[in-house]
Amino acid sequence: MAWTVATLQKSLKERKIKSIDLMRTVFAAIESRQPQVNAFISLNKAQAIEEAEKADRDLDKGNAKLLTGIPIGIKDVICTEGMTTTCGSKILHNFVPPYDATVITRLKAAGAIIVGKLNMDEFAMGSSNENSAYGPCRNPWDLTRVPGGSSGGSAAAVADRQVPLALGSDTGGSIRQPAAFCGITGLKPTYGRISRYGLVAFASSLDQIGPMALTVEDLAIVLQVMAGKDPLDATSSPEPVADYRAACREEVKGLTIGMPREYFGEGLSPEIDKAVRDAAALFEKKGAKVVEVSLPHTKFGIPAYYLAATAEASANLARYDGVKYGLRVGRVDDRGVALRSMYERTRHDGFGSEVKRRIMLGTFALSSGYYEAYYAKATKVRAIIRKDFEDAFKKCNLILTPVTPTVAFSLGSKMEDPLEMYLSDVYTITLNLAELPGLSLPAGFSSNGLPIGMQLIAPHFREDLLLRGGFSYQQWTDWHLRAPSGSSALEARYESTKGK
Ligand code: GLN
């Protein structure tokens, strides 16, 4: 049986395994695989071990909480009190937040234990994890390939069985695309479903935190802990939180699933096309109805996204000036003479080239005389894309699409051509523009043994429908339980680590 959050909860509670042994196993796995996979930027070992000992005491006394003793890795863009939060950037190499993000507060209150901070593209800008200042993370299915991005470390660590659970963030696909490349399951909730307080901002109108794990059931468990209104984030929604685990148990009979014709055209790998169509046929066989729908403005998604996201990023990243946080290059004398050169040198040395490219693009798009032509226009395109989805959802309950046009690509293969990299986000960014929730889950393998993902999309705040569809699919298939051959196999490692 795979070590999922659900199975670990049970084994810990029944005292078949000890939290301390589990934690030691997790660190043994991370340490042995880190040189190849590079999933982590920093570890929280001493504290995690201490907390695991306390978790055992709580479990022994029978007063465990929902996630007591469950190890979790956190994308390094989410603030963790007392632990560095680098955002994959040199400019924040020594930034230690004085507070926890709301999701961290909620996970800790439920008993989860943070094992470390996960690798990512700098400031979450990228689709391959190659824009990290801490070295690229690698795909555990094939170490010459990228794990996807920007939450590449999160996906790789879960796929490699180093941790059962991770958090990612998704502005244009950063949870769903790496989940697909690494053969795991990931959820981008509706904008506003989870508090963004303590998530370092990339594009504030698009960013959302979400869970990444092996199974849909695990996502349901963790979403339940994190979802809901937060007084510290005005964009978090008061919409009631459903019972996600109960939603998982509902069957798909009676659901209508739409397949948007624009998502199955030119550029899509035939193997992915087939895997997603096979999944549709399976849904149909199990009693769902499958219909064709249309999302006619899909092709405007990429330009609208790369305008909106860069514009917001250029404003959000203005705060890294060498004064308030992290890196400072150069000195300012007491008359402030060298202030300007300190700003310049700090930003020159602190940011990587993709981040600089985006700051320049975004600054241009927001500059006077261009705002209407670019940012304002992108906002109008967002409204049109949202309307496309609203129209499609009049004909179906869920939409089924590929996550990516290709399987995981080779390291270095798209680094010289940013446009080529941006185009790989074609099926994911439309959801962020429309603020919709999306689930990425394994749907098969390519002929060269790489994972293929599929995406389910639901109307706003209908994560329950996504989980219902996804959970059922995982009862009929075992793609999500297959592990890469070199992976760390926690279960086997546990036997040799326990008691030591
Ligand atoms: N790949 C997209 C980008 O580079 C999405 C990133 C994200 O979702 N954080 O902007």
Side-chain angles (χ1 to χ4, degrees):
M1 196 163 51
W3 275 19
T4 64
V5 174
T7 59
L8 286 171
Q9 269 179 332
K10 194 159 175 289
S11 310
L12 283 165
K13 211 157 154 213
E14 292 169 356
R15 305 277 53 211
K16 293 202 177 108
I17 63 171
K18 285 171 79 178
S19 171
I20 184 65
D21 291 333
L22 171 61
M23 200 52 79
R24 291 217 168 94
T25 307
V26 162
F27 281 103
I30 294 171
E31 282 157 12
S32 83
R33 295 286 289 168
Q34 181 66 11
Q36 290 99 57
V37 181
N38 196 29
F40 282 86
I41 291 178
S42 61
L43 296 178
N44 185 38
K45 191 169 176 181
Q47 200 180 338
I49 297 278
E50 213 171 277
E51 286 173 27
E53 280 166 347
K54 174 166 184 311
D56 277 326
R57 291 196 292 276
D58 289 342
L59 286 154
D60 283 340
K61 282 188 250 149
N63 53 14
K65 305 198 200 77
L66 189 68
L67 297 176
T68 295
I70 301 290
I72 181 170
I74 308 291
K75 183 177 182 183
D76 210 16
V77 70
I78 298 172
C79 286
T80 41
E81 185 181 348
M83 294 176 62
T84 51
T85 299
T86 67
C87 297
S89 182
K90 200 170 145 192
I91 213 160
L92 289 179
H93 72 108
N94 58 355
F95 172 57
V96 180
Y99 65 94
D100 276 332
T102 295
V103 288
I104 301 296
T105 307
R106 291 187 181 183
L107 285 164
K108 281 183 178 170
I113 302 178
I114 299 174
V115 305
K117 304 297 292 286
L118 291 154
N119 206 348
M120 57 181 284
D121 285 298
E122 185 175 7
F123 285 104
M125 297 174 189
S127 310
S128 68
N129 213 125
E130 291 165 293
N131 297 332
S132 168
Y134 302 89
C137 172
R138 287 163 186 272
N139 191 318
W141 290 91
D142 176 346
L143 296 171
T144 69
R145 297 193 184 241
V146 303
S150 63
S151 314
S154 306
V158 172
D160 200 43
R161 278 45 174 180
Q162 298 177 27
V163 283
L165 175 65
L167 290 192
S169 69
D170 191 312
T171 304
S174 278
I175 288 175
R176 291 161 288 150
Q177 184 254 25
F181 277 9
C182 291
I184 66 153
T185 309
L187 175 71
K188 180 205 100 72
T190 310
Y191 184 77
R193 180 67 302 171
I194 292 182
S195 169
R196 287 183 301 112
Y197 179 74
L199 169 66
V200 178
F202 162 10
S204 311
S205 75
L206 302 160
D207 300 338
Q208 215 11 227
I209 293 172
M212 303 170 79
L214 294 180
T215 68
V216 170
E217 183 181 27
D218 286 0
L219 301 184
I221 295 169
V222 181
L223 179 64
Q224 202 80 51
V225 172
M226 299 194 294
K229 179 74 189 163
D230 173 15
L232 298 173
D233 172 8
T235 64
S236 69
S237 171
E239 188 78 22
V241 175
D243 180 342
Y244 296 121
R245 230 168 161 183
C248 285
R249 315 267 170 224
E250 283 182 54
E251 50 181 272
V252 299
K253 204 175 276 167
L255 290 181
T256 302
I257 296 178
M259 313 255 298
R261 72 176 74 95
E262 295 79 4
Y263 282 59
F264 292 86
E266 203 191 325
L268 176 63
S269 130
E271 287 183 316
I272 298 180
D273 183 283
K274 179 171 185 311
V276 180
R277 288 184 197 279
D278 286 351
L282 197 49
F283 276 113
E284 204 157 31
K285 198 172 136 211
K286 301 287 182 178
K289 197 171 148 201
V290 176
V291 297
E292 189 181 81
V293 294
S294 174
L295 298 166
H297 299 93
T298 299
K299 64 171 182 288
F300 301 116
I302 289 189
Y305 171 85
Y306 277 96
L307 274 168
T310 55
E312 294 183 25
S314 71
N316 275 327
L317 270 56
R319 72 190 67 173
Y320 307 106
D321 56 6
V323 176
K324 303 182 214 53
Y325 313 88
L327 184 75
R328 174 179 301 179
V329 184
R331 282 179 179 223
V332 183
D333 69 18
D334 50 10
R335 286 166 298 146
V337 171
L339 185 63
R340 197 188 165 107
S341 97
M342 187 280 285
Y343 287 156
E344 285 173 1
R345 290 172 66 194
T346 300
R347 289 170 71 84
H348 175 274
D349 291 4
F351 289 134
S353 56
E354 180 62 23
V355 171
K356 284 180 189 151
R357 175 164 28 243
R358 305 239 185 156
I359 291 173
M360 287 191 283
L361 283 170
T363 305
F364 179 75
L366 288 180
S367 56
S368 95
Y370 293 100
Y371 180 88
E372 280 299 317
Y374 293 119
Y375 190 75
K377 200 160 178 186
T379 306
K380 287 183 193 145
V381 174
R382 282 184 76 166
I384 293 170
I385 288 178
R386 190 182 170 114
K387 172 87 172 39
D388 274 0
F389 278 105
E390 278 163 11
D391 291 343
F393 281 126
K394 287 181 187 142
K395 301 195 188 88
C396 59
N397 311 100
L398 283 171
I399 291 174
L400 174 65
T401 73
V403 185
T404 55
T406 66
V407 293
F409 46 87
S410 298
L411 266 109
S413 63
K414 291 190 203 274
M415 282 306 270
E416 297 308 314
D417 187 351
L419 192 58
E420 181 72 11
M421 190 77 92
Y422 299 170
L423 289 172
S424 67
D425 300 331
V426 59
Y427 306 131
T428 48
I429 54 180
T430 44
L431 278 69
N432 302 73
L433 292 169
E435 305 188 353
L436 292 166
L439 175 67
S440 171
L441 66 166
F445 286 85
S446 67
S447 50
N448 54 351
L450 294 166
I452 291 175
M454 67 180 190
Q455 172 172 253
L456 284 170
I457 311 168
H460 296 110
F461 299 104
R462 294 309 306 271
E463 284 78 6
D464 60 312
L465 282 178
L466 292 181
L467 298 165
R468 173 177 168 188
F471 181 86
S472 293
Y473 181 78
Q474 293 192 337
Q475 304 311 297
W476 316 321
T477 57
D478 69 354
W479 309 119
H480 58 293
L481 297 176
R482 303 204 187 168
S485 61
S487 71
S488 54
L490 281 181
E491 298 86 323
R493 207 182 279 272
Y494 181 83
E495 287 310 316
S496 58
T497 311
K498 85 176 169 209
K500 293 208 180 116

